[in-house]
Amino acid sequence: MSTETPLNTPTRHDQHGQWPQAETVDDFRHNLAAVQARIKASCQRVGRDPASVRLLPVSKTKPQTNLRQAYAAGCRMFGENKPQEAYRKWEEMADLTDLQWSVIGHLQTNKAKLVARFATEFQALDSLRVAVALERRLQAEGRGLDVFVQVNTSGEASKYGLPPDEVAAFLRELPAFSALRVRGFMTLAALSAEASRVRRCFILLRQLRDRLRQDAPDGIGLEELSMGMSGDFEIAIEEGATVVRVGQAIFGARATPDAHYWPSTQKGETD
Ligand SMILES: *Cc1c(COP(=O)(O)O)cnc(C)c1O
């Protein structure tokens, strides 16, 4: 966003691992209201409508009890990083018929079957192999899926996602997959306390989107920018995020180290 005064919003990565646990419906109400207030304030700084930002609560590692409390506090969609964990929770919570699931983590082709069965949204599309696998399984289920193309904006080898210069060619392949409804891009910024480095990742994603939207293939929507998490969503909103994926600020810190979710290497992966 272009603004008169330079924005110097800090990250909150120093709070990483220290967010208090939400254990009651009231805790969730309180945390959701606090996050929504921060979303609103960020929007106001850059003249955006808060309704243009969707909050996606990220429930990975948290038990069903907590997810049900969050549901009671008003959440109707959860983001989960691992397909198997998400699938299990979907089965356990099938009684909540208006609850939807967004898979936000890297997918191996052998798990496409699971995702095709229950997810409404998949935010980590980064290869044709995964697109092929999802399309086949979705056709078999008679379902469609909203997808976001994940872009690696930090240049860190540990992050999944396509390098920015490969995204245009990738988009040109996607109209062939009729069950995949392309909505936009997703990224994880550098996990850095240095706000300017984090902001650069978000700016890169927005500029890439703006550039590619001009001649996007038919049927490929690039309205959405999923960027920002507990430690940096305010900066992401200032730079145009339409979806923020927030876990710890709503649920509390996770016991599982993040390295478990963002492997330090992609080598050795079996598909
Ligand atoms: C865990 C996760 C988040 C949320 O991170 P928090 O620090 O809990 O807000 C966002 N995006 C992805 C892809 C994640 O795996």
Side-chain angles (χ1 to χ4, degrees):
M1 302 279 123
S2 62
T3 44
E4 314 296 309
T5 41
L7 296 159
N8 55 7
T9 311
T11 70
R12 300 197 186 212
H13 287 313
D14 55 341
Q15 253 172 288
H16 197 76
Q18 291 174 30
W19 300 92
Q21 297 305 315
E23 301 287 4
T24 65
V25 177
D26 265 349
D27 288 347
F28 279 99
R29 283 205 188 97
H30 173 270
N31 290 351
L32 287 163
V35 170
Q36 291 290 6
R38 286 166 57 192
I39 290 175
K40 193 173 164 196
S42 309
C43 283
Q44 276 164 354
R45 283 195 291 278
V46 292
R48 294 186 59 194
D49 177 1
S52 66
V53 180
R54 167 161 64 102
L55 171 60
L56 175 61
V58 174
S59 51
K60 68 190 187 199
T61 79
K62 298 295 175 179
Q64 189 193 157
T65 329
N66 293 146
L67 274 68
R68 287 185 182 272
Q69 290 163 340
Y71 177 89
C75 297
R76 289 298 177 270
M77 189 188 249
F78 291 123
E80 286 279 340
N81 188 294
K82 295 205 175 272
Q84 275 152 313
E85 179 181 342
Y87 186 79
R88 176 175 52 76
K89 288 175 176 171
W90 168 69
E91 284 187 312
E92 290 170 354
M93 301 174 70
D95 55 305
L96 306 178
T97 52
D98 60 345
L99 181 57
Q100 300 192 316
W101 299 88
S102 176
V103 173
I104 61 175
H106 180 71
L107 184 62
Q108 294 172 237
T109 51
N110 59 1
K111 309 272 166 49
K113 187 179 181 171
L114 294 184
V115 171
R117 200 167 293 158
F118 76 97
T120 301
E121 185 175 270
F122 172 55
Q123 294 205 0
L125 183 64
D126 64 358
S127 77
L128 278 179
R129 281 185 318 154
V130 168
V132 168
L134 278 173
E135 175 74 15
R136 187 160 62 90
R137 296 299 184 173
L138 286 162
Q139 294 291 353
E141 299 279 342
R143 298 184 77 237
L145 187 65
D146 289 338
V147 299
F148 291 58
V149 174
Q150 184 173 354
V151 182
N152 182 338
T153 54
S154 67
E156 293 168 10
S158 62
K159 298 282 200 302
Y160 289 112
L162 289 167
D165 62 356
E166 291 177 19
V167 176
F170 184 67
L171 287 183
R172 283 195 289 275
E173 306 286 344
L174 295 183
F177 303 93
S178 61
L180 304 181
R181 299 180 293 252
V182 182
R183 301 299 193 205
F185 297 153
M186 182 275 246
T187 201
L188 280 159
L191 250 193
S192 166
E194 205 186 315
S196 61
R197 249 188 94 198
V198 171
R199 187 180 294 275
R200 268 203 301 279
C201 297
F202 298 142
I203 293 175
L204 198 160
L205 194 71
R206 184 190 70 234
Q207 290 180 339
L208 182 70
R209 191 281 306 270
D210 290 349
R211 188 150 41 81
L212 298 184
R213 188 158 57 172
Q214 289 166 16
D215 44 16
D218 274 352
I220 301 299
L222 295 180
E223 300 310 311
E224 306 283 349
L225 291 175
S226 175
M227 51 190 202
M229 41 203 276
S230 295
D232 58 18
F233 73 78
E234 289 150 304
I235 299 174
I237 289 170
E238 289 169 357
E239 297 303 338
T242 63
V243 180
V244 291
R245 310 176 307 268
V246 179
Q248 300 179 81
I250 296 172
F251 283 85
R254 285 178 296 273
T256 322
D258 280 327
H260 180 68
Y261 286 89
W262 299 314
S264 56
T265 172
Q266 295 179 41
K267 291 201 190 86
E269 181 186 324
T270 49
D271 252 275

